Amino acid sequence: MNQTKYLYQMEQSVTHGNIVDIFAVDNKVAITDPVYPVYLDTNVMSGRSGNYNEEKGIYENIVYLPVTAENDFKPELPKEKVDMIYLCFPNNPTGTVLTKEDLKVWVDYAKENNSIILYDAAYEVFIEEDNIPHSIYEVEGAKDVAIEFKSYSKTAGFTGTRCAYVVIPKTVKGYTKNGEAIELNKLWNRRTCTKFNGVSYIVQRAAEATYSEEGKKQIKENIAYYKENAKIIKEGLEEAGFTVYGAINSPYIWLKVPEGMTSWEFFDKLLEEVNIVGTPGSGFGPHGEGYFRLTAFGTRENTKKAIERIKNWNK
Ligand SMILES: *Cc1c(COP(=O)(O)O)cnc(C)c1O
C-alpha cells in the first residue's frame, strides 16, 4: 500500500475499541452475533446502545446480524440503514471466514448508505485457504468505506505489551448532520494525538522486529504450531461425534453443544467431567447460545491430552 495515501498509526491496541470516539452518539451500529464483545461493550459505554432488553438479551439500538450454522456463518445485510458496521474475519469466536465476493456485498452496502465498515483483521495471519481476503482493501471500493484494524497480539504475542495499528485511507469520509464530508483519517489523528502520545519506544522496536527475517520466521513457526493444534482439536472433536466449525483459517474451534444443552451447561459438564475449560458461546451474544469455543493457543501436549479425554468421554 502507498504510504502517502494511508495513515498507519502505531496504536496502544484496542483501537477497535477507541475508534468510537470519532463517531456521533446517535449513529446506528451493526454487529455480527456472536462476536468479540469489545465492539458491543465500547458502544454501550459511549452511549450508542440504547436500553438493555433483559428478556431478549439484546440492546435496543444495536442491530444484531446473526451468524450461525443456519446461514453458513455469513451475515445478511441489515434491513434498516446503519452507520457503523463491525466485521471481523477470520471471526472471533466462530473461526469462520468470508470470501472476497461475500465482503464485496458489504462494501457496496456501505457505499450506498454512507456507512463505515470497521474491519478487524486480527487473525489474518491464520488464513490458509485461497480467495479469502487478508485485508478488506483487496475488495474493490473498500478504501472509500473501510477502516482496518491490525494487531500484534495474536501474531506475535503482544497482548501484554500493547501495540497495534490501524489503517484509515484518506478517502474514507464521515458525514456531519449537515451532510459535510469529513476525512476520518484526520479526525482519528487529532483524537490520538490528544489522548495518547504513542507506544513506548521499546515496544515499537519489538513490533519492528516482527518484520525482520528472524521475526518472520519465528512467527511463521508459532502460527504453524497453533494451526496444527487447531487441526488436532477439529479432527479429534469430529471423531468424538461433534459438529465443528472454524479451525481452518483460525485458531478458534466453534462447536455445536450436544442437543438439549445450553452453552453454560456444556461448560460445566466439560469442566467437571474431563477438566477442560472453554468459552460458552452465549458469552459472545445471543446467537452464540448452543455453541462453544475452544482455542488452539495451548501446548501440543495439553492439546493432545485434552482431545484424548474428550474422545474417551462418556458424554
Ligand atoms: C485478541 C483480539 C484483538 C486484539 O486486540 P489488541 O487490542 O491489539 O490486543 C482484536 N480483535 C479481536 C477480534 C481479537 O480477538
Side-chain angles (χ1 to χ4, degrees):
M1 269 175 249
N2 182 339
Q3 286 275 358
T4 59
K5 271 179 38 201
Y6 293 82
L7 171 71
Y8 285 84
Q9 187 139 29
M10 296 304 283
E11 303 289 352
Q12 187 187 16
S13 291
V14 226
T15 309
H16 47 278
N18 293 330
I19 199 78
V20 293
D21 283 2
I22 65 168
F23 292 98
V25 152
D26 57 2
N27 273 355
K28 196 85 179 173
V29 174
I31 56 166
T32 55
D33 171 31
V35 84
Y36 182 59
V38 173
Y39 316 140
L40 175 64
D41 295 348
T42 52
N43 278 292
V44 172
M45 289 177 203
S46 56
R48 245 172 243 104
S49 62
N51 292 328
Y52 185 65
N53 183 326
E54 288 273 353
E55 207 177 299
K56 295 184 184 156
I58 59 168
Y59 285 88
E60 285 166 356
N61 283 346
I62 300 287
V63 175
Y64 292 79
L65 310 165
V67 278
T68 61
E70 282 69 40
N71 61 11
D72 200 19
F73 299 95
K74 293 182 194 296
E76 282 160 36
L77 290 176
K79 298 198 173 47
E80 60 197 290
K81 177 178 154 32
V82 299
D83 304 300
M84 298 156 65
I85 303 159
Y86 287 88
L87 296 176
C88 169
F89 292 97
N91 188 259
N92 181 8
T94 67
T96 56
V97 288
L98 293 188
T99 64
K100 260 185 218 174
E101 292 71 32
D102 296 331
L103 267 183
K104 179 78 167 60
V105 173
W106 287 93
V107 169
D108 291 346
Y109 172 92
K111 283 198 147 182
E112 259 161 48
N113 293 282
N114 281 349
S115 333
I116 301 292
I117 296 176
L118 301 155
Y119 194 74
D120 189 343
Y123 297 96
E124 167 271 314
V125 72
F126 289 87
I127 294 173
E128 68 173 52
E129 289 180 316
D130 295 336
N131 196 34
I132 305 300
H134 287 248
S135 161
I136 193 163
Y137 303 117
E138 291 178 42
V139 178
E140 200 200 318
K143 72 177 192 324
D144 297 326
V145 292
I147 291 176
E148 183 163 288
F149 306 104
K150 300 273 193 172
S151 171
Y152 298 98
S153 287
K154 311 298 164 14
T155 39
F158 271 56
T159 37
T161 50
R162 313 313 295 147
C163 188
Y165 64 97
V166 62
V167 183
I168 309 184
K170 289 184 174 162
T171 41
V172 174
K173 303 276 186 355
Y175 295 88
T176 65
K177 286 212 165 56
N178 308 331
E180 188 195 345
I182 306 280
E183 264 186 40
L184 292 189
N185 175 312
K186 277 194 188 145
L187 212 53
W188 177 248
N189 191 41
R190 175 71 259 179
R191 180 267 173 213
T192 299
C193 295
T194 303
K195 282 198 173 177
F196 176 58
N197 285 324
V199 174
S200 70
Y201 181 67
I202 192 168
V203 173
Q204 286 192 40
R205 291 304 299 265
E208 182 191 18
T210 67
Y211 297 105
S212 65
E213 284 314 309
E214 180 58 24
K216 284 193 272 192
K217 184 173 149 271
Q218 289 182 15
I219 286 173
K220 211 171 155 198
E221 284 166 9
N222 260 342
I223 300 300
Y225 182 92
Y226 291 136
K227 282 178 70 77
E228 180 64 21
N229 282 352
K231 190 163 176 251
I232 291 168
I233 298 171
K234 176 176 155 60
E235 287 173 0
L237 288 173
E238 281 169 349
E239 254 178 74
F242 286 95
T243 305
V244 180
Y245 307 95
I248 297 166
N249 300 292
S250 163
Y252 295 125
I253 296 90
W254 188 240
L255 62 112
K256 194 104 192 75
V257 307
E259 204 57 44
M261 222 183 262
T262 66
S263 298
W264 274 109
E265 282 164 357
F266 183 73
F267 172 89
D268 285 339
K269 202 169 151 70
L270 191 71
L271 178 61
E272 282 164 19
E273 296 179 13
V274 279
N275 306 136
I276 295 170
V277 177
T279 314
S282 52
F284 296 99
H287 284 90
E289 181 56 86
Y291 293 91
F292 199 81
R293 193 193 74 174
L294 290 174
T295 95
F297 293 124
T299 62
R300 181 65 41 78
E301 191 192 355
N302 283 346
T303 301
K304 283 187 170 162
K305 214 188 277 176
I307 289 305
E308 277 318 301
R309 283 195 207 148
I310 289 177
K311 279 195 204 160
N312 299 325
W313 185 19
N314 201 352
K315 300 188 280 299

